Amino acid sequence: MSIDERERIAQLKNARVHLFAVYSTVTTEIITGSTMPAHETGMLWLLENKSVLVENDLKKAREFSIDEIFFKNGMRSVIRLPLHGRGEIYGSFNLTSHAPYTFGKREQEVLEELTVQITVAIENSRLVARINSLEKE
């Protein structure tokens, strides 16, 4: 896998995608704390299909409005992985790359394993937050 230029962890809340972790090596308007309508991203596709979505070459085809921003920033390939928790998809882990066809089968397998760890970390932080709120009552 080539070096990825942008990684994002997003969460779906009230039909909007909230980016709560963004790392990027390129200047972009997509930053931590950004929100956007879910229909402009791949989030609704992930919810409906409950599987990984790979777009191999944004120069040839772009599926979602946000892909236009990626392409404008020089990105060529995208992988979107659903974050599952308690039987539901509540977010996504997304990576983009300047190179087309970056995310093959092996990369997808490794990234799917990583999403398990991301989900565990998110679930643990939610649990700690709930415990803390109960202690304050």
Side-chain angles (χ1 to χ4, degrees):
M1 179 165 42
S2 67
I3 295 174
D4 303 307
E5 288 82 12
R6 184 180 300 142
E7 296 86 22
R8 298 164 316 284
I9 299 175
Q11 188 171 11
L12 182 64
K13 290 182 184 176
N14 303 322
R16 293 192 64 81
V17 172
H18 297 259
L19 302 175
F20 65 91
V22 177
Y23 169 78
S24 182
T25 60
V26 297
T27 303
T28 178
E29 57 270 36
I30 300 172
I31 59 172
T32 299
S34 297
T35 65
M36 60 199 68
H39 71 274
E40 293 180 4
T41 71
M43 186 70 76
L44 297 179
W45 189 97
L46 292 175
L47 288 170
E48 183 177 317
N49 293 280
K50 297 177 177 41
S51 63
V52 175
L53 175 62
V54 177
E55 293 179 84
N56 286 311
D57 192 348
L58 296 177
K59 185 176 182 179
K60 294 180 181 177
R62 294 181 283 284
E63 299 291 324
F64 310 102
S65 299
I66 197 169
D67 291 344
E68 294 298 327
I69 295 171
F70 297 157
F71 187 68
K72 182 182 84 172
N73 294 153
M75 300 300 159
R76 292 284 299 274
S77 57
V78 181
I79 186 169
R80 294 174 171 93
L81 301 106
L83 297 175
H84 302 268
R86 295 189 172 101
E88 67 175 311
I89 295 173
Y90 62 85
S92 65
F93 178 51
N94 310 289
L95 293 95
T96 56
S97 175
H98 282 104
Y101 297 91
T102 298
F103 307 105
K105 184 177 173 110
R106 179 68 185 133
E107 290 81 10
Q108 181 176 330
E109 289 171 355
V110 170
L111 292 169
E112 285 178 306
E113 289 296 320
L114 183 57
T115 62
V116 171
Q117 299 304 315
I118 292 169
T119 300
V120 168
I122 291 170
E123 290 295 317
N124 286 342
S125 70
R126 286 179 171 177
L127 182 58
V128 168
R130 286 181 66 199
I131 291 168
N132 288 339
S133 69
L134 290 173
E135 289 176 351
K136 290 178 182 178
E137 292 179 2

mmCIF file of all heavy atoms in Angstrom, residues 25-70:
data_model
loop_
_atom_site.group_PDB
_atom_site.id
_atom_site.type_symbol
_atom_site.label_atom_id
_atom_site.label_comp_id
_atom_site.label_asym_id
_atom_site.label_seq_id
_atom_site.Cartn_x
_atom_site.Cartn_y
_atom_site.Cartn_z
ATOM 1 N N THR A 25 -2.100 15.131 4.588
ATOM 2 C CA THR A 25 -0.822 15.695 4.181
ATOM 3 C C THR A 25 -1.016 16.770 3.119
ATOM 4 O O THR A 25 -0.052 17.349 2.655
ATOM 5 C CB THR A 25 0.122 14.601 3.640
ATOM 6 O OG1 THR A 25 -0.489 13.981 2.501
ATOM 7 C CG2 THR A 25 0.442 13.580 4.709
ATOM 8 N N VAL A 26 -2.269 17.009 2.717
ATOM 9 C CA VAL A 26 -2.568 18.046 1.737
ATOM 10 C C VAL A 26 -3.501 19.076 2.364
ATOM 11 O O VAL A 26 -4.256 18.776 3.282
ATOM 12 C CB VAL A 26 -3.215 17.464 0.459
ATOM 13 C CG1 VAL A 26 -2.272 16.519 -0.242
ATOM 14 C CG2 VAL A 26 -4.536 16.791 0.767
ATOM 15 N N THR A 27 -3.443 20.303 1.866
ATOM 16 C CA THR A 27 -4.359 21.338 2.327
ATOM 17 C C THR A 27 -5.753 21.014 1.805
ATOM 18 O O THR A 27 -5.929 20.700 0.631
ATOM 19 C CB THR A 27 -3.915 22.717 1.807
ATOM 20 O OG1 THR A 27 -2.583 22.949 2.255
ATOM 21 C CG2 THR A 27 -4.832 23.805 2.317
ATOM 22 N N THR A 28 -6.722 21.072 2.702
ATOM 23 C CA THR A 28 -8.089 20.740 2.322
ATOM 24 C C THR A 28 -9.070 21.419 3.257
ATOM 25 O O THR A 28 -8.723 21.772 4.382
ATOM 26 C CB THR A 28 -8.311 19.219 2.341
ATOM 27 O OG1 THR A 28 -9.672 18.939 2.005
ATOM 28 C CG2 THR A 28 -7.997 18.623 3.701
ATOM 29 N N GLU A 29 -10.288 21.586 2.775
ATOM 30 C CA GLU A 29 -11.340 22.136 3.623
ATOM 31 C C GLU A 29 -11.962 21.074 4.525
ATOM 32 O O GLU A 29 -12.766 21.386 5.393
ATOM 33 C CB GLU A 29 -12.421 22.824 2.771
ATOM 34 C CG GLU A 29 -13.061 21.942 1.750
ATOM 35 C CD GLU A 29 -12.357 21.939 0.382
ATOM 36 O OE1 GLU A 29 -11.130 22.028 0.318
ATOM 37 O OE2 GLU A 29 -13.072 21.825 -0.619
ATOM 38 N N ILE A 30 -11.583 19.822 4.340
ATOM 39 C CA ILE A 30 -12.092 18.723 5.160
ATOM 40 C C ILE A 30 -11.182 18.588 6.374
ATOM 41 O O ILE A 30 -10.076 18.071 6.283
ATOM 42 C CB ILE A 30 -12.142 17.412 4.352
ATOM 43 C CG1 ILE A 30 -13.061 17.593 3.151
ATOM 44 C CG2 ILE A 30 -12.599 16.265 5.225
ATOM 45 C CD1 ILE A 30 -13.034 16.439 2.181
ATOM 46 N N ILE A 31 -11.660 19.089 7.517
ATOM 47 C CA ILE A 31 -10.849 19.109 8.728
ATOM 48 C C ILE A 31 -11.630 18.516 9.901
ATOM 49 O O ILE A 31 -12.852 18.367 9.830
ATOM 50 C CB ILE A 31 -10.404 20.543 9.072
ATOM 51 C CG1 ILE A 31 -11.617 21.453 9.280
ATOM 52 C CG2 ILE A 31 -9.473 21.111 8.003
ATOM 53 C CD1 ILE A 31 -11.295 22.831 9.803
ATOM 54 N N THR A 32 -10.926 18.200 10.976
ATOM 55 C CA THR A 32 -11.572 17.718 12.186
ATOM 56 C C THR A 32 -12.620 18.731 12.625
ATOM 57 O O THR A 32 -12.355 19.928 12.647
ATOM 58 C CB THR A 32 -10.537 17.503 13.305
ATOM 59 O OG1 THR A 32 -9.590 16.518 12.864
ATOM 60 C CG2 THR A 32 -11.193 17.028 14.586
ATOM 61 N N GLY A 33 -13.798 18.241 12.938
ATOM 62 C CA GLY A 33 -14.897 19.101 13.342
ATOM 63 C C GLY A 33 -15.836 19.470 12.211
ATOM 64 O O GLY A 33 -16.913 20.003 12.453
ATOM 65 N N SER A 34 -15.445 19.202 10.977
ATOM 66 C CA SER A 34 -16.318 19.495 9.843
ATOM 67 C C SER A 34 -17.562 18.616 9.895
ATOM 68 O O SER A 34 -17.517 17.483 10.383
ATOM 69 C CB SER A 34 -15.608 19.207 8.513
ATOM 70 O OG SER A 34 -14.488 20.013 8.336
ATOM 71 N N THR A 35 -18.646 19.138 9.374
ATOM 72 C CA THR A 35 -19.858 18.338 9.198
ATOM 73 C C THR A 35 -20.371 18.562 7.782
ATOM 74 O O THR A 35 -20.079 19.587 7.156
ATOM 75 C CB THR A 35 -20.970 18.720 10.199
ATOM 76 O OG1 THR A 35 -21.403 20.044 9.940
ATOM 77 C CG2 THR A 35 -20.506 18.567 11.636
ATOM 78 N N MET A 36 -21.101 17.574 7.295
ATOM 79 C CA MET A 36 -21.697 17.680 5.969
ATOM 80 C C MET A 36 -22.905 16.764 5.891
ATOM 81 O O MET A 36 -23.002 15.806 6.656
ATOM 82 C CB MET A 36 -20.672 17.333 4.891
ATOM 83 C CG MET A 36 -20.113 15.945 4.974
ATOM 84 S SD MET A 36 -18.587 15.745 4.083
ATOM 85 C CE MET A 36 -17.487 16.727 5.052
ATOM 86 N N PRO A 37 -23.827 17.060 4.989
ATOM 87 C CA PRO A 37 -24.979 16.176 4.840
ATOM 88 C C PRO A 37 -24.532 14.764 4.447
ATOM 89 O O PRO A 37 -23.648 14.600 3.603
ATOM 90 C CB PRO A 37 -25.788 16.827 3.718
ATOM 91 C CG PRO A 37 -25.333 18.250 3.670
ATOM 92 C CD PRO A 37 -23.895 18.219 4.101
ATOM 93 N N ALA A 38 -25.140 13.768 5.059
ATOM 94 C CA ALA A 38 -24.747 12.375 4.807
ATOM 95 C C ALA A 38 -24.895 11.991 3.339
ATOM 96 O O ALA A 38 -24.094 11.206 2.821
ATOM 97 C CB ALA A 38 -25.563 11.432 5.684
ATOM 98 N N HIS A 39 -25.880 12.557 2.651
ATOM 99 C CA HIS A 39 -26.095 12.179 1.252
ATOM 100 C C HIS A 39 -24.955 12.633 0.330
ATOM 101 O O HIS A 39 -24.834 12.139 -0.781
ATOM 102 C CB HIS A 39 -27.443 12.703 0.738
ATOM 103 C CG HIS A 39 -27.492 14.187 0.556
ATOM 104 N ND1 HIS A 39 -27.814 15.032 1.586
ATOM 105 C CD2 HIS A 39 -27.229 14.968 -0.520
ATOM 106 C CE1 HIS A 39 -27.773 16.284 1.147
ATOM 107 N NE2 HIS A 39 -27.420 16.265 -0.124
ATOM 108 N N GLU A 40 -24.102 13.539 0.791
ATOM 109 C CA GLU A 40 -22.968 13.990 -0.013
ATOM 110 C C GLU A 40 -21.750 13.087 0.140
ATOM 111 O O GLU A 40 -20.770 13.233 -0.586
ATOM 112 C CB GLU A 40 -22.584 15.424 0.362
ATOM 113 C CG GLU A 40 -23.643 16.438 -0.007
ATOM 114 C CD GLU A 40 -23.254 17.846 0.363
ATOM 115 O OE1 GLU A 40 -22.127 18.077 0.849
ATOM 116 O OE2 GLU A 40 -24.108 18.746 0.162
ATOM 117 N N THR A 41 -21.800 12.174 1.092
ATOM 118 C CA THR A 41 -20.672 11.289 1.385
ATOM 119 C C THR A 41 -21.050 9.852 1.051
ATOM 120 O O THR A 41 -22.150 9.585 0.597
ATOM 121 C CB THR A 41 -20.307 11.374 2.876
ATOM 122 O OG1 THR A 41 -21.338 10.740 3.639
ATOM 123 C CG2 THR A 41 -20.153 12.820 3.337
ATOM 124 N N GLY A 42 -20.182 8.926 1.338
ATOM 125 C CA GLY A 42 -20.485 7.512 1.142
ATOM 126 C C GLY A 42 -21.160 6.863 2.335
ATOM 127 O O GLY A 42 -21.415 5.663 2.328
ATOM 128 N N MET A 43 -21.473 7.642 3.369
ATOM 129 C CA MET A 43 -22.023 7.075 4.602
ATOM 130 C C MET A 43 -23.346 6.332 4.371
ATOM 131 O O MET A 43 -23.543 5.233 4.897
ATOM 132 C CB MET A 43 -22.215 8.157 5.648
ATOM 133 C CG MET A 43 -22.641 7.628 7.004
ATOM 134 S SD MET A 43 -21.350 6.704 7.866
ATOM 135 C CE MET A 43 -20.318 8.040 8.434
ATOM 136 N N LEU A 44 -24.253 6.895 3.602
ATOM 137 C CA LEU A 44 -25.538 6.233 3.377
ATOM 138 C C LEU A 44 -25.351 4.925 2.603
ATOM 139 O O LEU A 44 -26.049 3.946 2.853
ATOM 140 C CB LEU A 44 -26.510 7.172 2.657
ATOM 141 C CG LEU A 44 -26.879 8.430 3.443
ATOM 142 C CD1 LEU A 44 -27.829 9.304 2.632
ATOM 143 C CD2 LEU A 44 -27.474 8.085 4.793
ATOM 144 N N TRP A 45 -24.380 4.915 1.680
ATOM 145 C CA TRP A 45 -24.071 3.686 0.957
ATOM 146 C C TRP A 45 -23.594 2.617 1.940
ATOM 147 O O TRP A 45 -24.013 1.461 1.862
ATOM 148 C CB TRP A 45 -23.004 3.946 -0.112
ATOM 149 C CG TRP A 45 -22.788 2.795 -1.029
ATOM 150 C CD1 TRP A 45 -23.333 2.616 -2.256
ATOM 151 C CD2 TRP A 45 -21.976 1.627 -0.777
ATOM 152 N NE1 TRP A 45 -22.914 1.421 -2.782
ATOM 153 C CE2 TRP A 45 -22.082 0.792 -1.902
ATOM 154 C CE3 TRP A 45 -21.182 1.216 0.279
ATOM 155 C CZ2 TRP A 45 -21.412 -0.429 -1.993
ATOM 156 C CZ3 TRP A 45 -20.525 -0.001 0.192
ATOM 157 C CH2 TRP A 45 -20.641 -0.809 -0.940
ATOM 158 N N LEU A 46 -22.715 2.993 2.864
ATOM 159 C CA LEU A 46 -22.216 2.049 3.862
ATOM 160 C C LEU A 46 -23.360 1.515 4.725
ATOM 161 O O LEU A 46 -23.412 0.316 5.025
ATOM 162 C CB LEU A 46 -21.156 2.697 4.750
ATOM 163 C CG LEU A 46 -19.828 3.056 4.094
ATOM 164 C CD1 LEU A 46 -18.939 3.792 5.081
ATOM 165 C CD2 LEU A 46 -19.132 1.836 3.539
ATOM 166 N N LEU A 47 -24.268 2.388 5.137
ATOM 167 C CA LEU A 47 -25.410 1.960 5.952
ATOM 168 C C LEU A 47 -26.288 0.960 5.201
ATOM 169 O O LEU A 47 -26.748 -0.019 5.763
ATOM 170 C CB LEU A 47 -26.256 3.162 6.365
ATOM 171 C CG LEU A 47 -25.656 4.089 7.408
ATOM 172 C CD1 LEU A 47 -26.492 5.351 7.545
ATOM 173 C CD2 LEU A 47 -25.519 3.397 8.742
ATOM 174 N N GLU A 48 -26.524 1.235 3.943
ATOM 175 C CA GLU A 48 -27.392 0.375 3.135
ATOM 176 C C GLU A 48 -26.736 -0.960 2.790
ATOM 177 O O GLU A 48 -27.363 -2.010 2.862
ATOM 178 C CB GLU A 48 -27.776 1.101 1.849
ATOM 179 C CG GLU A 48 -28.744 0.325 0.978
ATOM 180 C CD GLU A 48 -29.151 1.101 -0.248
ATOM 181 O OE1 GLU A 48 -29.417 2.315 -0.136
ATOM 182 O OE2 GLU A 48 -29.190 0.482 -1.329
ATOM 183 N N ASN A 49 -25.458 -0.927 2.431
ATOM 184 C CA ASN A 49 -24.784 -2.129 1.930
ATOM 185 C C ASN A 49 -24.002 -2.890 2.994
ATOM 186 O O ASN A 49 -23.634 -4.040 2.772
ATOM 187 C CB ASN A 49 -23.866 -1.755 0.773
ATOM 188 C CG ASN A 49 -24.660 -1.288 -0.410
ATOM 189 O OD1 ASN A 49 -25.189 -2.080 -1.156
ATOM 190 N ND2 ASN A 49 -24.789 0.031 -0.565
ATOM 191 N N LYS A 50 -23.690 -2.239 4.107
ATOM 192 C CA LYS A 50 -22.983 -2.877 5.224
ATOM 193 C C LYS A 50 -21.696 -3.587 4.787
ATOM 194 O O LYS A 50 -21.382 -4.677 5.227
ATOM 195 C CB LYS A 50 -23.905 -3.848 5.952
ATOM 196 C CG LYS A 50 -25.103 -3.171 6.582
ATOM 197 C CD LYS A 50 -26.030 -4.155 7.227
ATOM 198 C CE LYS A 50 -27.202 -3.537 7.929
ATOM 199 N NZ LYS A 50 -27.881 -2.442 7.331
ATOM 200 N N SER A 51 -20.968 -2.930 3.901
ATOM 201 C CA SER A 51 -19.712 -3.495 3.430
ATOM 202 C C SER A 51 -18.749 -2.375 3.044
ATOM 203 O O SER A 51 -19.115 -1.201 3.045
ATOM 204 C CB SER A 51 -19.946 -4.427 2.233
ATOM 205 O OG SER A 51 -20.469 -3.702 1.142
ATOM 206 N N VAL A 52 -17.538 -2.751 2.712
ATOM 207 C CA VAL A 52 -16.495 -1.810 2.330
ATOM 208 C C VAL A 52 -16.771 -1.289 0.917
ATOM 209 O O VAL A 52 -17.235 -2.029 0.053
ATOM 210 C CB VAL A 52 -15.113 -2.501 2.381
ATOM 211 C CG1 VAL A 52 -14.021 -1.591 1.875
ATOM 212 C CG2 VAL A 52 -14.821 -2.983 3.799
ATOM 213 N N LEU A 53 -16.465 -0.019 0.714
ATOM 214 C CA LEU A 53 -16.601 0.582 -0.613
ATOM 215 C C LEU A 53 -15.247 1.105 -1.056
ATOM 216 O O LEU A 53 -14.619 1.898 -0.349
ATOM 217 C CB LEU A 53 -17.614 1.730 -0.578
ATOM 218 C CG LEU A 53 -17.770 2.531 -1.873
ATOM 219 C CD1 LEU A 53 -18.263 1.639 -3.010
ATOM 220 C CD2 LEU A 53 -18.708 3.697 -1.658
ATOM 221 N N VAL A 54 -14.794 0.644 -2.224
ATOM 222 C CA VAL A 54 -13.534 1.102 -2.804
ATOM 223 C C VAL A 54 -13.842 1.803 -4.117
ATOM 224 O O VAL A 54 -14.545 1.261 -4.968
ATOM 225 C CB VAL A 54 -12.562 -0.075 -3.055
ATOM 226 C CG1 VAL A 54 -11.283 0.423 -3.728
ATOM 227 C CG2 VAL A 54 -12.249 -0.810 -1.771
ATOM 228 N N GLU A 55 -13.316 3.008 -4.266
ATOM 229 C CA GLU A 55 -13.369 3.717 -5.542
ATOM 230 C C GLU A 55 -11.928 3.775 -6.044
ATOM 231 O O GLU A 55 -11.092 4.444 -5.444
ATOM 232 C CB GLU A 55 -13.952 5.110 -5.369
ATOM 233 C CG GLU A 55 -15.432 5.090 -4.982
ATOM 234 C CD GLU A 55 -15.973 6.476 -4.787
ATOM 235 O OE1 GLU A 55 -16.357 7.108 -5.793
ATOM 236 O OE2 GLU A 55 -15.984 6.934 -3.632
ATOM 237 N N ASN A 56 -11.654 3.041 -7.116
ATOM 238 C CA ASN A 56 -10.280 2.854 -7.560
ATOM 239 C C ASN A 56 -9.660 4.029 -8.301
ATOM 240 O O ASN A 56 -8.454 4.222 -8.232
ATOM 241 C CB ASN A 56 -10.187 1.609 -8.443
ATOM 242 C CG ASN A 56 -10.290 0.354 -7.632
ATOM 243 O OD1 ASN A 56 -9.609 0.210 -6.633
ATOM 244 N ND2 ASN A 56 -11.160 -0.560 -8.046
ATOM 245 N N ASP A 57 -10.472 4.805 -9.026
ATOM 246 C CA ASP A 57 -9.890 5.915 -9.773
ATOM 247 C C ASP A 57 -10.912 7.032 -9.926
ATOM 248 O O ASP A 57 -11.812 6.961 -10.764
ATOM 249 C CB ASP A 57 -9.401 5.460 -11.141
ATOM 250 C CG ASP A 57 -8.527 6.497 -11.824
ATOM 251 O OD1 ASP A 57 -8.473 7.652 -11.358
ATOM 252 O OD2 ASP A 57 -7.895 6.147 -12.835
ATOM 253 N N LEU A 58 -10.767 8.065 -9.108
ATOM 254 C CA LEU A 58 -11.695 9.189 -9.141
ATOM 255 C C LEU A 58 -11.610 9.979 -10.439
ATOM 256 O O LEU A 58 -12.523 10.742 -10.755
ATOM 257 C CB LEU A 58 -11.457 10.106 -7.943
ATOM 258 C CG LEU A 58 -11.716 9.493 -6.571
ATOM 259 C CD1 LEU A 58 -11.371 10.491 -5.472
ATOM 260 C CD2 LEU A 58 -13.143 9.004 -6.441
ATOM 261 N N LYS A 59 -10.539 9.795 -11.193
ATOM 262 C CA LYS A 59 -10.447 10.462 -12.498
ATOM 263 C C LYS A 59 -11.474 9.868 -13.460
ATOM 264 O O LYS A 59 -12.023 10.570 -14.300
ATOM 265 C CB LYS A 59 -9.036 10.319 -13.076
ATOM 266 C CG LYS A 59 -8.827 11.071 -14.358
ATOM 267 C CD LYS A 59 -7.390 10.981 -14.822
ATOM 268 C CE LYS A 59 -7.193 11.796 -16.084
ATOM 269 N NZ LYS A 59 -5.787 11.735 -16.524
ATOM 270 N N LYS A 60 -11.778 8.582 -13.299
ATOM 271 C CA LYS A 60 -12.721 7.893 -14.190
ATOM 272 C C LYS A 60 -14.163 8.000 -13.718
ATOM 273 O O LYS A 60 -15.078 8.100 -14.538
ATOM 274 C CB LYS A 60 -12.329 6.421 -14.322
ATOM 275 C CG LYS A 60 -11.012 6.210 -15.018
ATOM 276 C CD LYS A 60 -10.694 4.752 -15.115
ATOM 277 C CE LYS A 60 -9.354 4.543 -15.799
ATOM 278 N NZ LYS A 60 -8.983 3.133 -15.856
ATOM 279 N N ALA A 61 -14.384 7.939 -12.404
ATOM 280 C CA ALA A 61 -15.754 7.983 -11.881
ATOM 281 C C ALA A 61 -15.744 8.462 -10.446
ATOM 282 O O ALA A 61 -14.873 8.080 -9.662
ATOM 283 C CB ALA A 61 -16.385 6.595 -11.961
ATOM 284 N N ARG A 62 -16.717 9.304 -10.113
ATOM 285 C CA ARG A 62 -16.885 9.790 -8.752
ATOM 286 C C ARG A 62 -18.331 9.541 -8.347
ATOM 287 O O ARG A 62 -19.251 9.970 -9.017
ATOM 288 C CB ARG A 62 -16.511 11.272 -8.665
ATOM 289 C CG ARG A 62 -15.020 11.481 -8.921
ATOM 290 C CD ARG A 62 -14.594 12.920 -8.827
ATOM 291 N NE ARG A 62 -14.927 13.754 -9.960
ATOM 292 C CZ ARG A 62 -14.305 13.750 -11.141
ATOM 293 N NH1 ARG A 62 -13.327 12.894 -11.360
ATOM 294 N NH2 ARG A 62 -14.665 14.576 -12.084
ATOM 295 N N GLU A 63 -18.523 8.826 -7.226
ATOM 296 C CA GLU A 63 -19.848 8.403 -6.792
ATOM 297 C C GLU A 63 -20.596 9.437 -5.955
ATOM 298 O O GLU A 63 -21.819 9.481 -5.981
ATOM 299 C CB GLU A 63 -19.730 7.109 -5.965
ATOM 300 C CG GLU A 63 -19.147 5.934 -6.714
ATOM 301 C CD GLU A 63 -20.072 5.414 -7.796
ATOM 302 O OE1 GLU A 63 -21.309 5.421 -7.595
ATOM 303 O OE2 GLU A 63 -19.553 5.014 -8.849
ATOM 304 N N PHE A 64 -19.883 10.244 -5.188
ATOM 305 C CA PHE A 64 -20.508 11.126 -4.208
ATOM 306 C C PHE A 64 -19.982 12.551 -4.361
ATOM 307 O O PHE A 64 -18.885 12.763 -4.869
ATOM 308 C CB PHE A 64 -20.222 10.616 -2.785
ATOM 309 C CG PHE A 64 -20.542 9.164 -2.626
ATOM 310 C CD1 PHE A 64 -19.526 8.216 -2.623
ATOM 311 C CD2 PHE A 64 -21.851 8.734 -2.520
ATOM 312 C CE1 PHE A 64 -19.818 6.863 -2.502
ATOM 313 C CE2 PHE A 64 -22.154 7.391 -2.400
ATOM 314 C CZ PHE A 64 -21.135 6.446 -2.394
ATOM 315 N N SER A 65 -20.746 13.522 -3.875
ATOM 316 C CA SER A 65 -20.347 14.932 -3.979
ATOM 317 C C SER A 65 -18.979 15.181 -3.350
ATOM 318 O O SER A 65 -18.170 15.942 -3.888
ATOM 319 C CB SER A 65 -21.384 15.827 -3.297
ATOM 320 O OG SER A 65 -22.635 15.697 -3.909
ATOM 321 N N ILE A 66 -18.703 14.532 -2.218
ATOM 322 C CA ILE A 66 -17.419 14.737 -1.545
ATOM 323 C C ILE A 66 -16.235 14.276 -2.401
ATOM 324 O O ILE A 66 -15.131 14.789 -2.272
ATOM 325 C CB ILE A 66 -17.394 14.046 -0.161
ATOM 326 C CG1 ILE A 66 -16.253 14.615 0.684
ATOM 327 C CG2 ILE A 66 -17.316 12.538 -0.295
ATOM 328 C CD1 ILE A 66 -16.297 14.215 2.132
ATOM 329 N N ASP A 67 -16.487 13.345 -3.317
ATOM 330 C CA ASP A 67 -15.422 12.876 -4.205
ATOM 331 C C ASP A 67 -14.881 14.004 -5.080
ATOM 332 O O ASP A 67 -13.720 13.985 -5.481
ATOM 333 C CB ASP A 67 -15.908 11.730 -5.088
ATOM 334 C CG ASP A 67 -16.169 10.453 -4.312
ATOM 335 O OD1 ASP A 67 -15.702 10.341 -3.161
ATOM 336 O OD2 ASP A 67 -16.839 9.558 -4.869
ATOM 337 N N GLU A 68 -15.722 14.990 -5.379
ATOM 338 C CA GLU A 68 -15.258 16.143 -6.160
ATOM 339 C C GLU A 68 -14.182 16.902 -5.391
ATOM 340 O O GLU A 68 -13.195 17.349 -5.965
ATOM 341 C CB GLU A 68 -16.427 17.070 -6.502
ATOM 342 C CG GLU A 68 -17.451 16.461 -7.433
ATOM 343 C CD GLU A 68 -16.888 16.095 -8.806
ATOM 344 O OE1 GLU A 68 -15.977 16.790 -9.313
ATOM 345 O OE2 GLU A 68 -17.368 15.099 -9.374
ATOM 346 N N ILE A 69 -14.374 17.042 -4.080
ATOM 347 C CA ILE A 69 -13.358 17.708 -3.244
ATOM 348 C C ILE A 69 -12.081 16.883 -3.236
ATOM 349 O O ILE A 69 -10.981 17.416 -3.401
ATOM 350 C CB ILE A 69 -13.883 17.918 -1.805
ATOM 351 C CG1 ILE A 69 -15.063 18.879 -1.806
ATOM 352 C CG2 ILE A 69 -12.768 18.426 -0.887
ATOM 353 C CD1 ILE A 69 -15.786 18.976 -0.483
ATOM 354 N N PHE A 70 -12.228 15.571 -3.054
ATOM 355 C CA PHE A 70 -11.046 14.703 -3.057
ATOM 356 C C PHE A 70 -10.270 14.853 -4.365
ATOM 357 O O PHE A 70 -9.054 15.027 -4.362
ATOM 358 C CB PHE A 70 -11.434 13.234 -2.885
ATOM 359 C CG PHE A 70 -12.097 12.904 -1.581
ATOM 360 C CD1 PHE A 70 -12.906 11.786 -1.491
ATOM 361 C CD2 PHE A 70 -11.940 13.681 -0.452
ATOM 362 C CE1 PHE A 70 -13.526 11.444 -0.300
ATOM 363 C CE2 PHE A 70 -12.553 13.364 0.742
ATOM 364 C CZ PHE A 70 -13.349 12.236 0.814
#
